[in-house]
Amino acid sequence: MLRLPTILRKSFSMKTRQRLDYRNKIILAPMVRVGTLPMRLLALEMGADIVYTEELVDLKLIKSIRRPNPALGTVDFVDPSDGTIVFRTCAQETSRLVLQMGTSDAGRALAVGKLLQRDISGLDINMGCPKEFSIKGGMGAALLAVPDKAALILRTLCSGLDIPVTCKIRILPDVESTIDLVQKLAATGIAAIGIHARTSVERPQHAAHPEVLRAVAQAVDIPIIANGGSKNMHCYEDLRKFQLECGADSVMVARAAQINVSIFRPEGLLPMDELIEKYLRLCVDYDNAPHNSKYCVQSILRELQETPRGKRFLQCQTLQQICEIWELGDYCRRRQRELKTMGNSGRAEVEPPEALAKRQKLEEAATAIADEYAGVICRNMPFLRSTYPSDNHLPKTQLYVHAGKAGKSPPAYETQQCDKLFRSICTFDGQRFSSSFWEKNKKQAEQGAALVALLHLGQLEAEVLRDNGSLLN
């Protein structure tokens, strides 16, 4: 059997991959903190044809390392400086995935595109974001003011990549200027252009301008993707209605999908709790960051965050705690054990070089103290404030009360600081206790040390602590 050289096989595979078609599509728009892997997969399940990532800045991507993750079945782009996931994707979405990049430099954008193109089916350049961060960096809507530079970026990408390139803009103050800009950008070879039907200074409360998009659509041959209609989108039919109003080839949905991603279902919206449960299962399956998962659930709950259940949810700090509220606690525990067995390290075990040096310093400090007394009893136990209903239930309080009842001297604490990390040693009844989990301040470090003492003394149950995320090993 004839075998092509590796480099030729890769090139052949990318060039024979079915090219993404942007016509007559319903699309999940790029949304910061929303367009991560679980939400993208859920949007596809609900009926979206194409999904965009959140905007990812080229400077962050170019420093990342591509790392397959067999345990999760994903490809991860990892920041080597702190071990965080910059971008995570999987085979289920590859053929319908577009990554949106924030950039102000054609050469850098091309380098990132080459790094990513085997794992995505399209690359979109953000030319419409009006946020200060993007503008100051010369990205987003700042590029609307320098159309020659915007065109250079797109032309460089179109000529240098094997996947289709698009951009997303906002309309300009008048129709003629908008048409001129779109024609200039279309001439670079891009496959489609997304247009938000508001200007850079307008916000969601302002009315959209579908008539501008209609005029643009009649003036160019490439597909126009209409965006900006979420204010009046409440069901699937509203998506198509906005598309028709704009005379666009496709429609892109942001805020309406953030609130209820089942808006992509022609059959109708799903109940909120069913939607959250589906989303949380995907978060567990793909080891999504707890803070990101929480943000997306908050977007779905909206005013229901003020209910008793909503207030309990707002206190959550771990994915396990969030899952418990929707009766997925057992599922979360089981899957996390399975994934760990399969080799997924999880965020609690991430240890970049800088963090390793800090840990070694902490351990040296702890060892120096421990040499003068008995050995330090250590467990990996973070202090999670949300698991304690009042100050009377905090670990330090519990240990102090236990000491009084037992007629022992109160516990004493010695805390070491290394840069911005803290670790404490609790001395009680001739023994020393410490949590190996680094805390962000002295008070939390002392609580963690007290927690280890309470567990060792039999005042707390290990299973309960594992269930609420307070005992990692």
Side-chain angles (χ1 to χ4, degrees):
M1 178 179 176
L2 177 64
R3 292 186 63 83
L4 294 171
T6 301
I7 190 167
L8 292 181
R9 288 203 305 272
K10 288 180 180 177
S11 176
F12 181 79
S13 173
M14 284 188 289
K15 290 183 178 179
T16 56
R17 181 197 300 171
Q18 186 172 358
R19 196 168 178 84
L20 192 61
D21 182 4
Y22 290 88
R23 296 185 187 275
N24 196 31
K25 298 295 190 294
I26 294 181
I27 302 169
L28 178 71
M31 289 181 282
V32 175
R33 293 196 289 174
V34 176
T36 47
L37 181 58
M39 189 61 76
R40 298 196 305 264
L41 291 176
L42 187 55
L44 290 172
E45 181 184 337
M46 293 297 105
D49 298 306
I50 298 172
V51 291
Y52 279 52
T53 69
E54 60 180 334
E55 180 195 19
L56 298 169
V57 177
D58 57 358
L59 287 169
K60 190 80 170 173
L61 287 165
I62 204 166
K63 296 175 184 176
S64 65
I65 298 172
R66 184 183 186 275
R67 185 175 296 165
N69 187 332
L72 297 179
T74 61
V75 173
D76 300 341
F77 288 81
V78 183
D79 185 339
S81 69
D82 60 8
T84 57
I85 306 298
V86 178
F87 169 52
R88 170 170 283 165
T89 184
C90 66
Q92 291 92 313
E93 66 170 357
T94 305
S95 64
R96 295 179 285 175
L97 175 64
V98 176
L99 184 140
Q100 187 183 67
M101 185 197 305
T103 187
S104 61
D105 182 86
R108 192 164 58 236
L110 180 59
V112 174
K114 289 180 176 180
L115 173 69
L116 294 166
Q117 66 177 352
R118 80 177 92 169
D119 299 304
I120 59 179
S121 286
L123 180 64
D124 183 79
I125 301 303
N126 183 352
M127 297 185 176
C129 179
K131 299 294 178 64
E132 184 179 8
F133 168 78
S134 288
I135 299 295
K136 282 188 173 180
M139 303 179 292
L143 290 170
L144 299 178
V146 283
D148 288 340
K149 183 176 184 180
L152 174 63
I153 292 172
L154 296 176
R155 193 177 301 110
T156 301
L157 292 171
C158 288
S159 62
L161 298 179
D162 297 317
I163 56 175
V165 176
T166 59
C167 66
K168 185 170 181 287
I169 68 169
R170 283 181 172 244
I171 62 173
L172 299 180
D174 63 87
V175 178
E176 291 75 18
S177 298
T178 304
I179 291 175
D180 289 345
L181 174 65
V182 173
Q183 288 177 334
K184 185 180 186 71
L185 299 179
T188 63
I190 56 175
I193 185 166
I195 307 179
H196 187 113
R198 293 183 183 85
T199 66
S200 296
V201 298
E202 292 178 324
R203 295 297 177 263
Q205 64 268 26
H206 296 111
H209 305 284
E211 70 282 358
V212 178
L213 269 66
R214 277 199 307 273
V216 172
Q218 293 169 4
V220 295
D221 294 327
I222 65 170
I224 299 296
I225 305 169
N227 177 232
S230 283
K231 185 177 180 181
N232 297 312
M233 290 177 177
H234 308 288
C235 62
Y236 176 85
E237 289 73 19
D238 293 335
L239 277 57
R240 291 299 190 186
K241 181 180 177 182
F242 183 69
Q243 179 185 353
L244 291 173
E245 288 176 352
C246 296
D249 298 270
S250 296
V251 62
M252 176 181 280
V253 190
R255 292 177 185 270
Q258 180 180 358
I259 294 168
N260 193 324
V261 73
S262 67
I263 198 168
F264 291 112
R265 295 180 78 244
E267 304 87 352
L269 299 177
L270 289 179
M272 181 192 71
D273 283 327
E274 183 178 347
L275 197 68
I276 291 175
E277 288 170 14
K278 285 179 175 289
Y279 173 71
L280 288 176
R281 285 180 183 273
L282 288 167
C283 289
V284 172
D285 290 345
Y286 290 98
D287 189 29
N288 200 47
H291 67 273
N292 177 253
S293 307
K294 184 176 181 179
Y295 176 82
C296 291
V297 174
Q298 282 181 276
S299 300
I300 299 171
L301 286 176
R302 294 188 294 166
E303 66 275 4
L304 294 178
Q305 294 176 72
E306 297 304 316
T307 64
R309 181 175 68 164
K311 290 179 179 178
R312 274 199 300 132
F313 160 74
L314 291 176
Q315 294 296 314
C316 293
Q317 293 177 260
T318 68
L319 190 55
Q320 176 69 50
Q321 292 171 339
I322 298 172
C323 286
E324 293 288 356
I325 294 176
W326 277 273
E327 299 182 355
L328 292 171
D330 289 342
Y331 179 78
C332 184
R333 278 187 292 274
R334 185 177 73 253
R335 284 294 291 148
Q336 287 181 339
R337 284 196 297 266
E338 290 173 355
L339 293 173
K340 190 169 185 177
T341 300
M342 293 166 65
N344 185 56
S345 62
R347 282 167 174 75
E349 287 81 24
V350 168
E351 192 169 55
E354 293 85 350
L356 176 60
K358 292 175 182 177
R359 180 175 64 82
Q360 289 173 336
K361 289 179 182 178
L362 287 171
E363 289 179 348
E364 288 169 3
T367 301
I369 295 174
D371 287 344
E372 300 177 19
Y373 303 91
V376 178
I377 298 168
C378 288
R379 299 296 295 270
N380 193 4
M381 300 182 71
F383 170 66
L384 303 174
R385 180 63 181 84
S386 62
T387 60
Y388 305 97
S390 71
D391 289 352
N392 291 333
H393 295 84
L394 294 175
K396 286 182 66 177
T397 305
Q398 292 187 55
L399 185 58
Y400 183 85
V401 171
H402 171 74
K405 289 181 177 179
K408 306 287 185 181
S409 299
Y413 299 89
E414 299 169 78
T415 302
Q416 297 83 43
Q417 178 181 357
C418 181
D419 291 336
K420 297 180 180 179
L421 298 174
F422 295 81
R423 182 178 177 183
S424 185
I425 296 177
C426 168
T427 302
F428 176 70
D429 196 24
Q431 293 183 298
R432 302 175 73 78
F433 307 92
S434 181
S435 172
S436 58
F437 191 93
W438 312 327
E439 298 287 1
K440 294 182 178 180
N441 59 54
K442 178 175 180 288
K443 291 182 178 179
Q444 291 179 355
E446 291 177 351
Q447 296 287 359
L451 199 56
V452 175
L454 289 169
L455 174 63
H456 183 78
L457 296 169
Q459 299 300 302
L460 296 174
E461 295 182 13
E463 194 61 33
V464 173
L465 294 170
R466 287 194 182 93
D467 287 348
N468 68 26
S470 297
L471 179 57
L472 300 182
N473 59 41

